[in-house]
Amino acid sequence: MDLLRASLHKVRIPEPTNRIHKDECCVSFDTPRSDGGLYVDMNSFLAFGRDHVAWNFEKTENPVYLHIVQRRKPDPEEADRPLKKPTLLAIGVEGGFSEQEPEYDVTYEIVVLPEFASLPFPSVDLPEKVRLAVDKVILAESADRKQQLASWVADKKLISAHAMDLQQLDNGVIVPPNGWKCSKCDKTENLWLNLTDGMILCGRKVWDGSGGNNHAVEHYQQTKYPLAVKLGTITADLEGADVYSYPEDDSVEDPLLAQHLSHFGIDFSSLQKTEMTTAERELDHNTNFDWNRIQESGKDAEPLYGPGYTGLVNLGNSCYMASIMQVMFSTHPFISRYFEKQSLKAAFAMSQADPTLDVNMQMTKLAHGILSGKYSKPNQEGQVGIRPRMFKSVIAASHPEFSSMRQQDALDFFLHLIEKVDQANPGDHQSNPFSGFKFIVEHRVQCPSGKVSYNTHSENNLSLSIPLHEATNKEQLEAFHEKKAAMDLDGKEVSSEEIVRPRVPLEACLASFSGEDEVPDFYSTALNSKTTAIKTTGLKTFPDYLVLQMRKFVMGEGWVPKKLDVYIDVPDIIDISHMRSKGVQPGEELLPEGASSGDKVEPARPVANEDIVSHLASMGFNYVRCQKAAINTSNTGVEEAMNWLLSHMDDPDIDDPISQDPMSAESTIDEASVQTLLSFGFQEDVARMALKASGGNIERATDWVFNNPDASSSVSADSSASNVKDEDPYITDGSGRYKLMAFVSHMGTSTHCGHYVAHVLKDGRWAIFNDSKVAASVDLPKDMGYLYFFQRISS
């Protein structure tokens, strides 16, 4: 008691805004149900397992902890109680996911470090401040629980106020099923169909130069036609369609979308019924075939336990994340960076004040959780696995999709993970485990003049189209289609066992990537006109790890996304040496640089994010000031821009027009700041652009670089020059021979629904990682992969 009274100044009474962690240790996966229970720091409200709480005391000198221990109550009837299947995507409501779990006895005590002296709780002998603080911690919603509920609730869209009485013009517009292009520019992606007049226009321009040219929003500003639907998101049942309301400035639901689309010749009333029936049949086939085969259902698989065989509990459509992370922590760079060379204690010591928000800390926590074997032990249910909730929270922070409970594309998450790891290791290429995944792609374009241009950019994966015409079982396919047509006439259905799918060799997919492509509307500086050029693509470097994505998802008739029902024959070993590009060859003549008129391509200038500017302008601020605020905060967000604006209201040049001369900002750049960014490993042109965009602030400039991964390619618009340094020491290169070490498979009709599973080659045998279930593979579905991971074979 004396020790506690002497430490009362270190005890805080939590405020409603405090994040209280009491479900899981912030540096391990220990919980109140683990041996030793959980210790909640009564100053920071972070939680620690028994083996780690002393580290927190050493770092913070916070001595007072609430010790929580949960022990399961025996329930002999539990095994016979059937589980009720949820029918509603919600938690704790009728028809939703049940909150009922096995019951536990919970005990509390106050522990004072370093002696680990304990005092019972509740107790009237405890100081009032301690009693009040502990009561509030016990009654408060935990940080994990708040995050979980927020993710579920965030998905609901409101019905637009403009949907029910939407005006549609009788202008005779009939929208074709494909081949769409912006009506005001050449953009063929990020296109929006205005539901009033049928205009197809490109979306907003993004800060990094991607996206559209703002033609859709400009059209609304001119016409006030309120609703638009994004092409490529329209599915047969219309539930996944992305409808945007400009006056409401949000994604909305349009209950009459089928009617609004049919106005422009898109008949979804009949298509929906037919397609729903098709979807039901596909679901049956998936259930009976794809799902069973990919998950190896019905096989007498041996459960696997121990280091490297730890399952990841599904947090609600998180299988895409689990599959990717199981593969990543089976590669040498990730094992070395976050496990072999990084202890939990060292990661915690280097982490920020709140380790739950530190990417490196949570990556290390996940690595030790998967690779230590501590949480991979058999029990009566097979394997409990670990819940990577803190990892998902920090890796998906501020991302509208990954922070939700919706299913996501595994490739999108892989690329997002690369970005987050890059940000956590700025300029430290040796510590970045993704350095071995990066490679340089080189494009060679030859125009009819015979002259050529070379262009390079870096990639982390190869996206391969699937040439169905290269199928090796064409005779069987023809026989199957004839049989199916006859059965359709008789009103019979083909069983899943009778279906014959195309078999396409991986070599054909790789050949399609590196083969010749026509480039229409290519502007030749040799001919001073547009022409059709021939492009070939190769790899200038070969990475340590090669990731291949199979483009199984294509746009069908009526804009309905469909999944190719195809097998890919993937060998265990591939050799892509023939795909190596060799740059400019003797006798080749490069296309002249720039336009023939001598006009120089201006360097890219920072552009304010229109969403941020609009938000600030709606509050009554001057438009130019809003633009400056967005630019000077690197388009980080509305709050950051607002803070900048309020602190610069009295600047003498606050109302001056934004300079259109990129050289004016160039002259004000501090060379010392440039050198600092160069020391981080950034290119000089990128460093200068980032400093211009961030007003010379090094920290914001660093953020700008990571938020603009394409900046290195935009600083040089020279068609004949390389965008990547030929001798970048941080891009690995070597033999073109690879062995298959893992693949991620997808079940379902879209990347945004269904289920993902990973198969990984470990210890000489294939293992299947299906969320928390880990087992030896019996019938390897190697021909059904979506992402394939190859490791270079050392020469």
Side-chain angles (χ1 to χ4, degrees):
M1 186 65 74
D2 290 340
L3 290 172
L4 178 60
R5 293 186 185 280
S7 304
L8 280 180
H9 66 287
K10 283 281 193 174
V11 175
R12 289 175 56 214
I13 298 174
E15 299 290 339
T17 55
N18 290 136
R19 300 170 70 245
I20 298 174
H21 296 274
K22 57 179 180 178
D23 297 330
E24 182 180 278
C25 173
C26 62
V27 298
S28 74
F29 290 92
D30 290 350
T31 71
R33 300 168 192 174
S34 303
D35 293 339
L38 205 61
Y39 294 78
V40 179
D41 183 336
M42 292 306 296
N43 183 275
S44 67
F45 309 117
L46 295 171
F48 299 87
R50 179 62 178 84
D51 296 335
H52 316 107
V53 64
W55 302 350
N56 185 61
F57 175 73
E58 293 173 9
K59 182 176 180 179
T60 66
E61 297 185 351
N62 293 339
V64 183
Y65 297 82
L66 172 63
H67 185 209
I68 309 174
V69 177
Q70 295 180 354
R71 292 294 175 257
R72 185 171 179 173
K73 293 180 180 179
D75 187 357
E77 299 179 359
E78 184 184 24
D80 300 325
R81 186 183 304 142
L83 293 175
K84 189 174 181 180
K85 185 177 180 180
T87 58
L88 185 66
L89 196 63
I91 296 177
V93 298
E94 181 65 27
F97 289 89
S98 173
E99 292 183 295
Q100 293 182 356
E101 289 187 346
E103 294 184 356
Y104 288 82
D105 287 317
V106 185
T107 60
Y108 302 98
E109 63 179 355
I110 307 300
V111 173
V112 183
L113 266 62
E115 294 85 356
F116 280 91
S118 62
L119 295 164
F121 183 90
S123 172
V124 295
D125 296 330
L126 291 171
E128 182 181 4
K129 183 180 181 182
V130 174
R131 296 202 307 270
L132 184 58
V134 172
D135 281 339
K136 284 187 174 291
V137 168
I138 293 174
L139 293 174
E141 286 272 30
S142 71
D144 289 345
R145 176 69 173 168
K146 284 183 178 179
Q147 178 73 30
Q148 182 183 8
L149 291 175
S151 298
W152 281 110
V153 173
D155 290 345
K156 184 165 180 61
K157 294 180 181 179
L158 298 177
I159 294 177
S160 172
H162 305 274
M164 305 309 291
D165 57 354
L166 181 71
Q167 176 192 9
Q168 292 196 284
L169 304 183
D170 291 324
N171 53 10
V173 171
I174 299 296
V175 178
N178 47 45
W180 351 288
K181 189 175 76 170
C182 177
S183 300
K184 296 186 178 179
C185 69
D186 292 332
K187 289 285 185 181
T188 57
E189 296 180 348
N190 189 22
L191 299 177
W192 293 78
L193 171 68
N194 190 286
L195 292 175
T196 294
D197 62 2
M199 287 283 284
I200 296 176
L201 300 159
C202 60
R204 287 186 170 95
K205 180 175 291 185
V206 184
W207 167 244
D208 63 0
S210 63
N213 290 319
N214 296 324
H215 287 142
V217 67
E218 288 173 1
H219 184 64
Y220 161 70
Q221 291 167 351
Q222 295 166 4
T223 64
K224 300 304 178 184
Y225 297 154
L227 299 183
V229 60
K230 186 174 185 180
L231 301 181
T233 67
I234 306 170
T235 58
D237 58 10
L238 301 182
E239 289 183 0
D242 188 359
V243 180
Y244 192 84
S245 170
Y246 293 104
E248 294 161 297
D249 195 23
D250 204 354
S251 292
V252 296
E253 183 179 340
D254 178 4
L256 302 180
L257 182 58
Q259 173 185 320
H260 293 153
L261 290 171
S262 67
H263 181 82
F264 300 110
I266 307 170
D267 185 4
F268 271 85
S269 59
S270 59
L271 179 59
Q272 180 173 358
K273 183 176 185 299
T274 304
E275 195 61 28
M276 284 297 290
T277 305
T278 302
E280 289 168 358
R281 283 204 300 268
E282 287 179 349
L283 181 60
D284 284 340
H285 291 157
N286 281 333
T287 302
N288 295 330
F289 183 79
D290 289 357
W291 289 65
N292 290 339
R293 181 161 178 235
I294 290 175
Q295 296 186 103
E296 303 191 42
S297 302
K299 305 296 180 182
D300 188 15
E302 172 197 356
L304 299 177
Y305 306 99
Y309 296 103
T310 307
L312 297 177
V313 175
N314 196 313
L315 306 175
N317 287 327
S318 63
C319 53
Y320 66 91
M321 178 186 74
S323 298
I324 293 296
M325 296 317 300
Q326 291 287 12
V327 174
M328 292 301 97
F329 283 118
S330 300
T331 64
H332 296 310
F334 273 79
I335 295 173
S336 174
R337 168 67 176 86
Y338 296 110
F339 183 69
E340 294 175 343
K341 296 182 179 179
Q342 181 76 81
S343 69
L344 284 171
K345 185 174 183 179
F348 174 65
M350 293 185 295
S351 67
Q352 52 185 284
D354 187 346
T356 68
L357 304 178
D358 188 286
V359 172
N360 279 324
M361 176 69 253
Q362 293 308 312
M363 287 286 288
T364 304
K365 170 181 171 177
L366 185 61
H368 283 257
I370 291 176
L371 299 172
S372 67
K374 178 180 178 180
Y375 306 99
S376 179
K377 298 175 181 177
N379 63 16
Q380 59 185 359
E381 299 174 0
Q383 182 183 150
V384 176
I386 56 179
R387 297 177 181 272
R389 199 176 300 283
M390 284 187 192
F391 171 79
K392 183 175 187 287
S393 179
V394 71
I395 214 72
S398 302
H399 194 287
E401 290 300 325
F402 297 127
S403 59
S404 74
M405 290 292 188
R406 294 186 291 269
Q407 184 63 279
Q408 305 299 330
D409 187 339
L411 177 66
D412 288 347
F413 178 76
F414 173 73
L415 299 176
H416 175 73
L417 181 68
I418 293 175
E419 181 181 342
K420 297 295 286 189
V421 171
D422 284 347
Q423 291 176 8
N425 298 274
D428 188 358
H429 298 276
Q430 291 183 336
S431 296
N432 190 330
F434 276 118
S435 294
F437 288 75
K438 188 176 182 180
F439 56 94
I440 298 175
V441 175
E442 183 172 72
H443 302 285
R444 178 186 183 272
V445 180
Q446 181 171 348
C447 84
S449 69
K451 298 180 180 179
V452 299
S453 70
Y454 284 86
N455 209 290
T456 60
H457 66 274
S458 62
E459 283 288 357
N460 295 287
N461 73 98
L462 282 185
S463 182
L464 303 179
S465 59
I466 302 174
L468 294 177
H469 63 278
E470 296 288 350
T472 57
N473 58 339
K474 293 179 181 178
E475 292 183 2
Q476 294 93 323
L477 281 170
E478 290 176 3
F480 166 70
H481 288 308
E482 291 176 1
K483 178 181 178 181
K484 184 177 183 298
M487 293 182 69
D488 288 343
L489 290 175
D490 294 337
K492 299 179 181 179
E493 288 192 10
V494 180
S495 67
S496 58
E497 291 79 10
E498 295 177 290
I499 294 177
V500 177
R501 293 167 169 84
R503 283 197 167 274
V504 179
L506 179 63
E507 292 87 344
C509 303
L510 291 168
S512 177
F513 173 83
S514 58
E516 292 187 351
D517 283 324
E518 288 190 351
V519 183
D521 296 329
F522 176 80
Y523 184 84
S524 169
T525 54
L527 302 176
N528 291 328
S529 64
K530 287 187 177 182
T531 183
T532 298
I534 301 298
K535 182 182 76 171
T536 54
T537 304
L539 273 61
K540 198 162 188 177
T541 63
F542 293 150
D544 294 336
Y545 289 87
L546 179 66
V547 182
L548 304 180
Q549 178 219 12
M550 311 312 300
R551 292 187 201 161
K552 290 190 173 183
F553 300 93
V554 297
M555 196 64 67
E557 290 295 321
W559 297 332
V560 179
K562 70 174 184 178
K563 181 178 179 181
L564 294 179
D565 200 9
V566 60
Y567 292 135
I568 307 296
D569 285 331
V570 179
D572 292 328
I573 295 177
I574 63 172
D575 191 336
I576 61 169
S577 301
H578 62 282
M579 294 178 64
R580 186 181 288 277
S581 59
K582 300 176 182 178
V584 181
Q585 296 298 295
E588 288 186 333
E589 186 176 353
L590 294 176
L591 284 165
E593 297 182 10
S596 60
S597 61
D599 296 338
K600 289 188 66 177
V601 178
E602 293 186 4
R605 291 189 292 270
V607 179
N609 183 292
E610 188 60 34
D611 289 340
I612 297 175
V613 175
S614 298
H615 271 96
L616 294 179
S618 67
M619 301 176 189
F621 293 107
N622 175 281
Y623 192 81
V624 172
R625 295 185 181 188
C626 298
Q627 287 182 306
K628 288 186 176 182
I631 291 173
N632 282 285
T633 55
S634 304
N635 288 325
T636 307
V638 174
E639 184 178 350
E640 291 79 4
M642 170 73 79
N643 292 334
W644 184 93
L645 190 55
L646 294 175
S647 61
H648 289 78
M649 294 289 283
D650 298 327
D651 288 3
D653 61 348
I654 188 66
D655 291 318
D656 291 350
I658 297 175
S659 173
Q660 297 300 307
D661 180 10
M663 296 307 295
S664 62
E666 181 78 25
S667 60
T668 64
I669 294 176
D670 181 13
E671 288 300 319
S673 299
V674 175
Q675 293 303 316
T676 300
L677 291 182
L678 290 178
S679 70
F680 292 165
F682 302 137
Q683 298 177 21
E684 182 174 352
D685 290 337
V686 176
R688 292 185 181 278
M689 183 186 294
L691 288 167
K692 283 190 289 182
S694 57
N697 183 289
I698 292 178
E699 184 177 348
R700 289 204 301 266
T702 304
D703 290 339
W704 186 92
V705 173
F706 289 125
N707 290 328
N708 293 270
D710 296 330
S712 60
S713 61
S714 65
V715 295
S716 175
D718 183 348
S719 64
S720 300
S722 169
N723 293 331
V724 182
K725 293 182 179 179
D726 290 344
E727 299 181 0
D728 189 334
Y730 305 112
I731 296 181
T732 59
D733 195 10
S735 164
R737 296 186 72 241
Y738 291 86
K739 66 177 180 180
L740 182 67
M741 54 84 59
F743 60 94
V744 171
S745 305
H746 173 266
M747 296 152 280
T749 55
S750 165
T751 52
H752 297 286
C753 68
H755 187 56
Y756 288 94
V757 168
H759 284 78
V760 183
L761 183 62
K762 280 178 176 278
D763 303 322
R765 64 178 174 182
W766 284 94
I768 177 174
F769 292 83
N770 185 3
D771 288 334
S772 58
K773 299 179 180 64
V774 183
S777 177
V778 178
D779 183 14
L780 189 69
K782 190 172 61 169
D783 50 8
M784 302 182 74
Y786 171 54
L787 301 175
Y788 291 94
F789 297 80
F790 288 86
Q791 180 180 359
R792 192 204 316 278
I793 298 175
S794 300
S795 57

